[in-house]
Coordinates of all heavy atoms in Angstrom, one line a residue:
V412 N -11.0 6.3 3.7 CA -12.2 6.5 4.4 C -12.1 5.6 5.7 O -12.0 4.3 5.5 CB -13.4 6.0 3.6 CG1 -14.7 6.0 4.4 CG2 -13.6 7.0 2.4
L413 N -12.1 6.2 6.8 CA -12.0 5.4 8.1 C -13.4 5.1 8.6 O -14.1 6.0 9.0 CB -11.2 6.3 9.1 CG -10.8 5.6 10.4 CD1 -9.9 4.4 10.1 CD2 -10.0 6.6 11.2
V414 N -13.7 3.8 8.6 CA -15.0 3.4 9.0 C -15.0 3.1 10.5 O -14.1 2.3 11.0 CB -15.5 2.2 8.2 CG1 -16.8 1.7 8.8 CG2 -15.6 2.5 6.8
V415 N -15.8 3.7 11.3 CA -15.9 3.4 12.7 C -17.4 3.1 13.1 O -18.3 3.9 12.7 CB -15.5 4.6 13.6 CG1 -15.2 4.1 15.0 CG2 -14.2 5.2 13.1
A416 N -17.6 2.0 13.7 CA -19.0 1.6 14.1 C -19.5 2.5 15.2 O -18.8 2.6 16.3 CB -19.1 0.1 14.4
A417 N -20.6 3.1 15.1 CA -21.1 4.0 16.1 C -21.5 3.4 17.4 O -21.5 4.0 18.4 CB -22.4 4.7 15.5
D418 N -21.7 2.1 17.3 CA -22.1 1.4 18.6 C -20.9 0.8 19.3 O -21.0 0.4 20.5 CB -23.1 0.3 18.3 CG -22.6 -0.7 17.3 OD1 -21.7 -0.4 16.5 OD2 -23.1 -1.9 17.3
D419 N -19.8 0.7 18.6 CA -18.6 0.1 19.1 C -17.5 1.1 19.4 O -16.7 0.9 20.4 CB -18.1 -1.0 18.1 CG -17.3 -2.1 18.7 OD1 -17.4 -2.3 20.0 OD2 -16.5 -2.7 18.0
G420 N -17.4 2.1 18.6 CA -16.4 3.2 18.9 C -15.0 2.8 18.4 O -14.8 1.9 17.6
V421 N -14.1 3.7 18.7 CA -12.7 3.5 18.2 C -12.1 2.3 18.9 O -12.1 2.1 20.1 CB -11.9 4.8 18.6 CG1 -10.4 4.6 18.3 CG2 -12.4 6.0 17.8
M422 N -11.5 1.4 18.0 CA -10.9 0.2 18.5 C -9.5 0.1 18.0 O -9.1 0.9 17.2 CB -11.8 -1.0 17.9 CG -13.2 -1.1 18.5 SD -13.2 -1.1 20.3 CE -13.5 -2.8 20.6
P423 N -8.7 -0.9 18.4 CA -7.3 -1.0 18.0 C -7.0 -0.8 16.6 O -6.1 0.0 16.2 CB -6.8 -2.3 18.5 CG -7.8 -2.6 19.7 CD -9.1 -2.0 19.4
Q424 N -7.8 -1.5 15.7 CA -7.5 -1.4 14.3 C -7.9 0.0 13.7 O -7.4 0.4 12.7 CB -8.1 -2.5 13.5 CG -7.3 -3.7 13.5 CD -8.0 -4.8 12.7 OE1 -8.9 -5.5 13.3 NE2 -7.7 -5.0 11.5
T425 N -8.8 0.7 14.4 CA -9.2 2.0 14.0 C -7.9 2.9 14.1 O -7.6 3.7 13.3 CB -10.3 2.6 14.8 OG1 -11.3 1.6 15.1 CG2 -10.9 3.8 14.2
V426 N -7.3 2.7 15.3 CA -6.1 3.5 15.6 C -5.0 3.2 14.7 O -4.3 4.1 14.1 CB -5.7 3.3 17.1 CG1 -4.4 4.0 17.4 CG2 -6.8 3.7 18.1
E427 N -4.8 1.9 14.4 CA -3.7 1.5 13.5 C -3.9 2.1 12.1 O -3.0 2.6 11.5 CB -3.8 -0.1 13.5 CG -2.5 -0.6 12.8 CD -2.7 -2.1 12.5 OE1 -3.8 -2.5 12.1 OE2 -1.7 -2.8 12.6
A428 N -5.2 2.0 11.6 CA -5.4 2.5 10.3 C -5.2 4.0 10.3 O -4.6 4.6 9.3 CB -6.9 2.2 9.9
G429 N -5.7 4.7 11.3 CA -5.5 6.2 11.4 C -4.0 6.5 11.4 O -3.6 7.5 10.7
N430 N -3.2 5.8 12.1 CA -1.8 6.0 12.2 C -1.1 5.8 10.9 O -0.2 6.5 10.4 CB -1.1 5.2 13.3 CG -1.4 5.8 14.7 OD1 -1.6 7.0 14.8 ND2 -1.5 4.9 15.7
L431 N -1.5 4.7 10.2 CA -1.0 4.4 8.9 C -1.2 5.5 7.9 O -0.3 5.9 7.1 CB -1.6 3.1 8.3 CG -1.0 1.8 8.6 CD1 -1.9 0.7 8.2 CD2 0.4 1.7 8.0
A432 N -2.5 6.0 7.9 CA -2.8 7.1 7.0 C -2.0 8.4 7.3 O -1.5 9.0 6.4 CB -4.3 7.5 7.1
R433 N -1.8 8.6 8.6 CA -1.0 9.8 9.0 C 0.5 9.6 8.5 O 1.1 10.5 7.9 CB -1.0 10.0 10.5 CG -0.2 11.2 10.8 CD -0.2 11.7 12.3 NE -1.4 11.6 12.9 CZ -1.7 11.0 14.0 NH1 -0.7 10.3 14.6 NH2 -2.9 11.0 14.6
A434 N 1.0 8.4 8.8 CA 2.4 8.1 8.4 C 2.6 8.3 6.9 O 3.6 8.8 6.4 CB 2.8 6.7 8.8
A435 N 1.6 7.9 6.1 CA 1.7 8.0 4.7 C 1.2 9.4 4.2 O 1.3 9.6 3.0 CB 0.9 6.9 4.0
N436 N 0.8 10.3 5.1 CA 0.4 11.6 4.7 C -0.8 11.6 3.8 O -0.9 12.4 2.8 CB 1.6 12.3 4.1 CG 1.5 13.8 4.4 OD1 0.7 14.3 5.1 ND2 2.5 14.5 3.8
V437 N -1.7 10.7 4.1 CA -2.9 10.6 3.2 C -4.1 11.1 4.0 O -4.3 10.8 5.2 CB -3.2 9.1 2.9 CG1 -4.5 8.9 2.2 CG2 -2.1 8.5 2.1
P438 N -4.9 12.0 3.4 CA -6.0 12.6 4.1 C -7.1 11.6 4.5 O -7.3 10.6 3.7 CB -6.6 13.7 3.2 CG -6.0 13.4 1.9 CD -4.7 12.6 2.1
V439 N -7.8 11.8 5.6 CA -8.8 10.9 6.1 C -10.2 11.5 6.0 O -10.3 12.7 6.4 CB -8.4 10.4 7.5 CG1 -9.6 9.7 8.2 CG2 -7.2 9.6 7.5
I440 N -11.2 10.7 5.6 CA -12.6 11.1 5.8 C -13.2 10.1 6.8 O -12.9 8.9 6.5 CB -13.3 11.1 4.5 CG1 -12.8 12.3 3.6 CG2 -14.8 11.3 4.7 CD1 -13.3 12.2 2.2
V441 N -13.9 10.5 7.8 CA -14.4 9.5 8.7 C -15.9 9.2 8.3 O -16.7 10.1 8.0 CB -14.4 10.1 10.2 CG1 -15.1 9.1 11.1 CG2 -13.0 10.4 10.6
A442 N -16.2 7.9 8.3 CA -17.6 7.4 8.1 C -18.0 6.7 9.4 O -17.4 5.6 9.7 CB -17.7 6.5 6.9
I443 N -18.9 7.3 10.1 CA -19.4 6.7 11.3 C -20.5 5.8 10.9 O -21.6 6.3 10.5 CB -19.7 7.7 12.4 CG1 -18.4 8.5 12.7 CG2 -20.2 6.9 13.7 CD1 -18.5 9.4 13.9
N444 N -20.3 4.5 11.0 CA -21.3 3.5 10.4 C -22.2 3.0 11.5 O -22.0 3.2 12.7 CB -20.5 2.4 9.7 CG -21.4 1.5 8.9 OD1 -22.4 1.9 8.4 ND2 -21.0 0.2 8.8
K445 N -23.2 2.3 11.0 CA -24.2 1.6 11.9 C -24.9 2.6 12.8 O -25.3 2.3 13.9 CB -23.5 0.5 12.8 CG -22.6 -0.5 12.1 CD -22.3 -1.7 12.9 CE -21.3 -2.6 12.2 NZ -21.1 -3.9 12.8
C446 N -25.2 3.8 12.2 CA -25.9 4.8 13.0 C -27.4 4.4 13.2 O -28.1 5.0 13.9 CB -25.8 6.1 12.3 SG -24.2 6.9 12.5
D447 N -27.8 3.3 12.5 CA -29.2 2.8 12.8 C -29.3 1.9 14.0 O -30.3 1.6 14.5 CB -29.6 1.9 11.5 CG -28.6 0.8 11.3 OD1 -27.5 1.0 10.9 OD2 -28.9 -0.4 11.7

Side-chain angles (χ1 to χ4, degrees):
V412 171
L413 187 59
V414 176
V415 194
D418 57 337
D419 204 20
V421 169
M422 296 305 260
Q424 275 178 277
T425 319
V426 175
E427 195 192 34
N430 284 331
L431 272 172
R433 179 179 317 128
N436 213 1
V437 175
V439 168
I440 292 170
V441 177
I443 302 188
N444 189 31
K445 307 199 189 184
C446 286
D447 59 285

